[in-house]
Amino acid sequence: MVRINLLPIRDILRKRDLKRFIVLSCIALSATVGIMVFWYLTLSAKLSALGQDHSALQKRLEQLTERNKEITSLTKEEGQLKKQLDDIRKLVQNRDSFARIMEAISLTIPEDVWLESLEKTPNRNFTLVGKSLDNSSVTSFVEKLQTIRIDFTQKSLHQDPGETSQQTFFADVDFKGFEAATGGAETAKGTINFKIVGRLR
């Protein structure tokens, strides 16, 4: 009977299985590392893209913020211009009205001066005809008409002395001389007639 020693074969099989295990483990490890590297590179690319998008959006936000400030400023300026335009429109309307003219005259006329007529032409010229007891009162009346402010109020009526930049309500105001009043018994003794001409600014 022949005897065969099987120990070397078992050892060879064991070593072969070990080598196979090591190879498979290296392959698995390499695959895992490869997957991790690919995943890292993918995430890095996405992160870089997100960073660029964030920078672009931040820049856009800054531009829109500046634009919003400009729009806010323009809106505020537009409101101020509209208010000024409304004020000018009201001022022109009030200035051309007889009520405004009569208000200006009533605030400037002296007590011993009275009017008999007021005429206003379409070209904005006007004529005042009246009587007075004193020449100086008429002169004072003319001076007040010459200096009444365009935006006059009872508290702020006349142009400041020496100030020429402020606009007056009337322009080219002048009187056309005096003459002794003549008439019936209703005419007071010593009265004089006067005539004042001018135009609305």
Side-chain angles (χ1 to χ4, degrees):
M1 182 177 180
V2 180
R3 294 184 179 182
I4 300 173
N5 187 3
L6 297 177
L7 290 177
I9 295 175
R10 291 177 180 174
D11 189 47
I12 292 170
L13 291 174
R14 185 177 61 79
K15 289 181 179 180
R16 186 178 64 183
D17 290 340
L18 182 61
K19 289 180 180 179
R20 186 181 297 170
F21 173 76
I22 292 173
V23 170
L24 291 175
S25 298
C26 290
I27 293 173
L29 181 61
S30 298
T32 302
V33 172
I35 292 172
M36 292 181 66
V37 170
F38 175 77
W39 180 72
Y40 173 77
L41 294 176
T42 302
L43 288 182
S44 296
K46 289 183 178 180
L47 185 61
S48 178
L50 289 175
Q52 292 177 357
D53 291 342
H54 179 268
S55 299
L57 290 175
Q58 186 68 29
K59 185 176 181 180
R60 181 61 177 166
L61 178 61
E62 292 174 358
Q63 292 175 347
L64 291 176
T65 302
E66 290 298 323
R67 184 61 178 166
N68 187 56
K69 289 180 181 179
E70 293 177 4
I71 292 174
T72 302
S73 177
L74 290 174
T75 302
K76 184 178 179 181
E77 185 177 353
E78 181 185 12
Q80 292 175 345
L81 291 175
K82 284 183 178 179
K83 185 178 183 302
Q84 291 177 359
L85 185 61
D86 290 339
D87 292 341
I88 292 173
R89 187 181 295 112
K90 290 177 182 178
L91 188 61
V92 171
Q93 291 173 348
N94 292 335
R95 183 181 61 188
D96 290 343
S97 68
F98 255 101
R100 190 68 170 166
I101 297 172
M102 292 304 297
E103 182 183 5
I105 292 174
S106 66
L107 292 172
T108 55
I109 191 169
E111 293 183 358
D112 55 352
V113 175
W114 61 97
L115 298 180
E116 294 182 329
S117 68
L118 165 60
E119 295 181 4
K120 176 178 172 290
T121 61
N123 61 355
R124 307 171 67 80
N125 292 329
F126 69 88
T127 302
L128 301 175
V129 177
K131 297 182 183 298
S132 176
L133 298 176
D134 186 9
N135 293 358
S136 61
S137 295
V138 178
T139 302
S140 174
F141 183 34
V142 171
E143 291 175 351
K144 289 179 179 179
L145 291 175
Q146 290 172 339
T147 58
I148 188 169
R149 299 161 59 102
I150 193 170
D151 55 347
F152 70 87
T153 61
Q154 196 153 6
K155 292 183 178 180
S156 179
L157 186 61
H158 294 289
Q159 194 179 50
D160 296 333
E163 180 60 56
T164 58
S165 61
Q166 300 175 5
Q167 204 171 24
T168 55
F169 187 79
F170 299 114
D172 303 328
V173 179
D174 195 10
F175 69 96
K176 298 299 181 180
F178 302 100
E179 61 180 23
T182 59
E186 70 278 2
T187 302
K189 184 177 180 180
T191 59
I192 55 174
N193 296 326
F194 67 87
K195 179 179 176 182
I196 300 174
V197 296
R199 66 179 176 86
L200 294 175
R201 179 85 53 185

